[in-house]
Amino acid sequence: MNPLDHLVEPQEYPPPPALAAQAHVAGRAGYASLAAEAEEDHEAYWARLAREFVHWKRPFRKLLGTQNAPHYTWFEDGTLNVSWNCLDRQVAEGRGEKVAIIFEADDGHVTHTTYAQLLAMVCRLANMLKAQGVKKGDRVAIYMPMSVEAVACMQACARIGAIHTVVFGGFSAHSLRDRIADTGAVLVLTADEQMRGGKALSLKGVVDEALALGGCDAVRAVIVYRRTGGQIPWTDRDHWMHELTAAQPERCEPVWVEAEHPLFLLYTSGSTGKPKGVQHSSGGYLVQAAVTMKWTFDMHPQDVFWCTADIGWVTGHSYIAYGPLAIGATQLMFEGVPTWPNAGRFWQMIGRHRVTVFYTAPTAIRSLIKAAEANPQVHPQRYDLQSLRVLGSVGEPINPAAWEWYHRHVGGGRCPIVDTWWQTETGAHMITPLPGATSLVPGSCALPFPGIAAAIVDELGGDVPNGQSGLLVIKKPWPGMIRTIWGDDARYRASYFPAELRGYYLAGDGASRDRETGYFTIGGRIDDVLNVSGHRMGTMEIESALVACTELVAEAAVVGRPDETSGEAICAFVVLKGARPQGEAAAALAAQLRTWVGKEIGPIAKPKDIRFADNLPKTRSGKIMRRLLRSVAKGEAVTQDISTLENPAILHQLFETH
Ligand code: PRX
């Protein structure tokens, strides 16, 4: 928590009356009637929305399928095409000339792409994929910068029933290789370079490195979007995207797929060293992405939506690549970083493009607060933010002090903030205020989205009374839910549906509900998953990366500690093969290991603190005492019972190196 938080008086913010009057879900009564409809007949409620929000080629009769629970199905006998829903349908309904994507490049250059133009682009890409032999069900890896082309590539896969797996451009060659290998991708779509903060960073070079690591035998070709024109290595396997698409026709019949056909795989961290390939469906996923897009952000036809997430994360899937297009919205997409050329970039862009709905992460807000405090020139009050109506937050808890600042200085005190709790696995928003219906309490994500059976239970699945903490679970299946972990059904069942929890979905977060209002507050992960700047990282992944440095590292343990800006910071305890270094030698080795982890996983996984010890604190049975390490990382007094510690002397050393 931020030290300023205790200065903030908790206050409730009712929906602004003018906004509520026009809202899709209006007032407490609007919310209550939807929640009651879902309560009365969960399946019929979602089926009504599925028919309202999605065009089905073959209408479904089946609603929820439980035969193979917990691998649930939704609308199983229906067929659809996601890209047809996002593009052709918008054109058919008269939105062909409407701007789908306003794109602002790192250098400030702006382009506008209409729905008709985006459709033509997607069709050319889809035809190109077909010409490369890509078929329904094949996997295609996408390692691209934030660009209209990247969204178009995702949509092109959807158009022909290929399953995309987008890999965040900040991941290293190793991480990329693991994802390509695990999915058995047949193509890699990438760019020569990406531009961030005025710097060109290689992407194609990383793809080459990844493929050279081996295990990616299914890859037939690498197709390169020319972003910068910078010098890049080239092999026989590589093709320029513009050359391959130039001759392709602007029309491409969509492949109608079954509702359960996988739309994409997206890797996320769990409690083992190996990331999980979260598999999402086409039908149920699209339904929930579209409904939440419209209701959570209260989107109207004239709105300009801006989600600052990267397409490499689930937020960029549901609220850039699919949700906004599925409801025919205009959205802004940004290539660069919030602090370049200065930390006023977001505020300047909101004014420039008349953004009405702005969706970002608490980490970004916290770092922009810091920047504005240091330099009044980049304070949001110096910019024209009058166009804003609704603000959103995602990815991590937003502390009340940051919430209040966001509300006051960005939203001018008039814009509701929707603090949306959800996960890669949930596909779309699960617990969130609705701007025209919910009174806001800073730091709380309020109430479940209508139709989401969120609850807090104890270790045996028993309900926990309001006011007490417990495990956050979802009691009933929902359309946008994960279907399985790619290639590992057993891990899916064990991770999310542990036997003792009565068939509930286990989110992996601790939470509590307010005694009176029933509002949810998320307490953070209960497993070995960290949330660093809104990025989800497994401690085991970082440990595996460290011990992979076999020349130096004998053993490593990674824990998180609270951090004012990034939410959590990564703290690594390392036992070296050689003697424990001191002073400058320790600093140099720590730097070397940070670089190593950056290469193994990506820069986001670099530990902030690295401490060297002769040994790790272990129980007599050899288990590392992580809770103790967490206390040490925080610099707080150890209150745990250390009588079971095999080597109590080590404790002294861990503190000494602090
Ligand atoms: O711990 C919760 C936190 O982020 C986790 C999910 O991370 P990921 O799958 O990467 O998806 C992030 C974008 C949806 C959750 O288990 N989290 C997400 N949103 C919130 C949150 N914690 C508190 N408040 C939120 N609004």
Side-chain angles (χ1 to χ4, degrees):
M1 279 283 144
N2 192 297
L4 291 177
D5 284 345
H6 69 277
L7 300 175
V8 179
E9 280 288 315
Q11 196 189 329
E12 240 190 80
Y13 296 85
L19 191 151
Q22 305 288 324
H24 294 300
V25 182
R28 228 177 259 250
Y31 175 84
S33 99
L34 288 165
E37 180 190 345
E39 185 60 38
E40 197 167 299
D41 192 338
H42 186 70
E43 294 178 44
Y45 163 84
W46 281 113
R48 171 174 78 76
L49 297 175
R51 292 188 185 104
E52 249 174 65
F53 279 79
V54 168
H55 170 86
W56 300 83
K57 179 72 171 172
R58 184 174 71 214
F60 56 83
R61 290 225 173 84
K62 294 188 181 160
L63 308 183
L64 172 66
T66 57
Q67 303 84 331
N68 199 18
H71 298 275
Y72 295 101
T73 61
W74 282 92
F75 322 123
E76 197 185 356
D77 53 347
T79 62
L80 79 159
N81 180 277
V82 169
S83 130
W84 194 93
N85 270 279
C86 292
L87 301 168
D88 310 57
R89 180 176 168 206
Q90 309 307 343
V91 174
E93 291 176 3
R95 287 182 281 277
E97 297 313 307
K98 181 171 179 173
V99 173
I101 303 179
I102 307 167
F103 180 76
E104 182 164 321
D106 191 54
D107 66 2
H109 182 72
V110 174
T111 53
H112 291 83
T113 307
T114 65
Y115 273 93
Q117 289 167 334
L118 189 59
L119 171 60
M121 191 168 165
V122 167
C123 286
R124 272 204 220 96
L125 282 162
N127 285 324
M128 178 275 280
L129 293 175
K130 285 203 286 190
Q132 291 293 316
V134 179
K135 301 206 167 51
K136 179 183 169 194
D138 284 349
R139 277 79 59 207
V140 173
I142 298 179
Y143 187 65
M144 290 176 72
M146 289 292 283
S147 53
V148 178
E149 285 72 9
V151 170
C153 285
M154 295 163 78
Q155 288 280 345
C157 289
R159 194 161 191 90
I160 63 165
I163 304 167
H164 60 69
T165 184
V166 181
V167 181
F168 173 57
F171 274 124
S172 70
H174 277 94
S175 299
L176 177 61
R177 186 275 309 266
D178 291 349
R179 286 154 177 76
I180 295 172
D182 197 56
T183 56
V186 296
L187 280 190
V188 181
L189 310 180
T190 189
D192 47 1
E193 295 176 307
Q194 59 179 336
M195 292 301 301
R196 290 177 73 75
K199 289 196 206 80
L201 306 168
S202 171
L203 286 174
K204 167 65 165 58
V206 180
V207 172
D208 289 348
E209 236 183 279
L211 297 182
L213 289 168
C216 307
D217 307 333
V219 174
R220 293 198 288 262
V222 174
I223 296 170
V224 188
Y225 157 54
R226 191 165 67 195
R227 167 61 188 91
T228 63
Q231 282 292 316
I232 52 166
W234 206 254
T235 73
D236 289 348
R237 180 200 61 201
D238 305 330
H239 307 273
W240 285 113
M241 194 174 277
H242 61 272
E243 286 177 2
L244 293 187
T245 49
Q248 294 294 346
E250 280 186 5
R251 296 175 70 94
C252 172
E253 221 9 68
V255 173
W256 304 101
V257 301
E258 312 75 48
E260 284 301 314
H261 182 68
L263 177 64
F264 64 85
L265 307 174
L266 184 59
Y267 283 78
T268 192
S269 298
S271 46
T272 74
K274 189 172 181 284
K276 313 184 258 201
V278 172
Q279 178 180 319
H280 277 289
S281 69
S282 297
Y285 171 81
L286 187 66
V287 169
Q288 206 180 329
V291 178
T292 52
M293 182 71 216
K294 187 159 170 180
W295 293 358
T296 305
F297 300 117
D298 190 41
M299 289 289 291
H300 292 268
Q302 69 284 5
D303 274 312
V304 177
F305 176 72
W306 183 17
C307 167
T308 67
D310 192 279
I311 49 152
W313 310 115
V314 74
T315 309
H317 283 59
S318 301
Y319 301 106
I320 295 178
Y322 293 112
L325 302 177
I327 65 159
T330 294
Q331 69 174 315
L332 172 63
M333 192 178 180
F334 177 42
E335 178 178 40
V337 297
T339 47
W340 193 84
N342 63 45
R345 183 75 185 258
F346 275 3
W347 321 134
Q348 185 240 341
M349 284 178 62
I350 288 170
R352 183 177 186 189
H353 302 291
R354 314 302 300 158
V355 171
T356 60
V357 181
F358 179 61
Y359 191 34
T360 195
T363 290
I365 297 163
R366 286 191 295 261
S367 66
L368 296 177
I369 294 175
K370 262 196 182 167
E373 279 166 358
N375 172 13
Q377 294 300 326
V378 298
H379 196 284
Q381 71 200 17
R382 308 208 48 124
Y383 297 80
D384 174 10
L385 304 177
Q386 279 305 313
S387 56
L388 289 171
R389 295 194 316 115
V390 176
L391 302 174
S393 172
V394 59
E396 24 163 357
I398 177 162
N399 53 297
W403 194 102
E404 296 284 356
W405 187 92
Y406 192 29
H407 188 255
R408 177 153 167 225
H409 296 295
V410 182
R414 65 178 190 281
C415 306
I417 299 177
V418 289
D419 176 0
T420 61
W421 177 86
W422 60 297
Q423 308 176 293
T424 305
E425 294 89 339
T426 69
H429 302 153
M430 299 293 280
I431 307 178
T432 178
L434 302 178
T438 319
S439 284
L440 308 170
V441 175
S444 164
C445 50
L447 295 171
F449 193 86
I452 298 300
I456 299 181
V457 299
D458 59 30
E459 264 107 39
L460 296 173
D463 285 319
V464 161
N466 285 0
Q468 286 179 26
S469 312
L471 307 173
L472 179 56
V473 296
I474 313 296
K475 289 188 168 179
K476 296 179 191 168
W478 65 100
M481 73 190 294
I482 174 176
R483 296 311 199 253
T484 193
I485 293 173
W486 180 254
D488 201 345
D489 288 349
R491 187 172 179 198
Y492 165 79
R493 291 189 293 266
S495 305
Y496 304 114
F497 297 93
E500 60 283 8
L501 284 187
R502 311 181 186 183
Y504 301 157
Y505 167 86
L506 175 67
D509 281 322
S512 63
R513 298 187 74 160
D514 183 84
R515 229 178 274 277
E516 273 116 54
T517 59
Y519 274 26
F520 284 75
T521 296
I522 308 296
R525 301 289 306 189
I526 51 162
D527 51 12
D528 293 321
V529 170
L530 305 181
N531 195 326
V532 183
S533 302
H535 297 147
R536 188 164 150 182
M537 301 292 326
T539 54
M540 292 274 280
E541 271 173 82
I542 307 167
E543 287 169 10
S544 309
L546 283 165
V547 296
C549 185
T550 48
E551 259 173 49
L552 294 175
V553 177
E555 222 183 344
V558 169
V559 297
R561 65 162 172 79
D563 183 275
E564 248 184 54
T565 308
S566 62
E568 273 186 296
I570 302 169
C571 191
F573 295 86
V574 175
V575 179
L576 293 172
K577 287 193 169 156
R580 183 162 64 97
Q582 308 274 358
E584 274 178 29
L589 261 175
Q592 193 181 341
L593 288 176
R594 260 185 216 110
T595 308
W596 172 274
V597 173
K599 277 222 145 275
E600 285 286 305
I601 305 176
I604 52 173
K606 287 183 183 177
K608 190 159 183 181
D609 305 342
I610 296 190
R611 301 196 199 174
F612 298 105
D614 290 330
N615 212 330
L616 295 173
K618 289 185 188 152
T619 60
R620 289 193 187 95
S621 60
K623 257 185 83 175
I624 296 174
M625 296 182 75
R626 286 168 185 283
R627 273 187 48 215
L628 194 148
L629 285 179
R630 270 184 226 121
S631 301
V632 174
K634 269 197 225 169
E636 67 186 22
V638 171
T639 52
Q640 293 93 338
D641 175 14
I642 53 164
S643 60
T644 53
L645 200 60
E646 193 209 33
N647 44 357
I650 204 69
L651 204 56
H652 185 63
Q653 193 181 82
L654 293 171
F655 274 107
E656 198 181 82
T657 54
H658 183 55

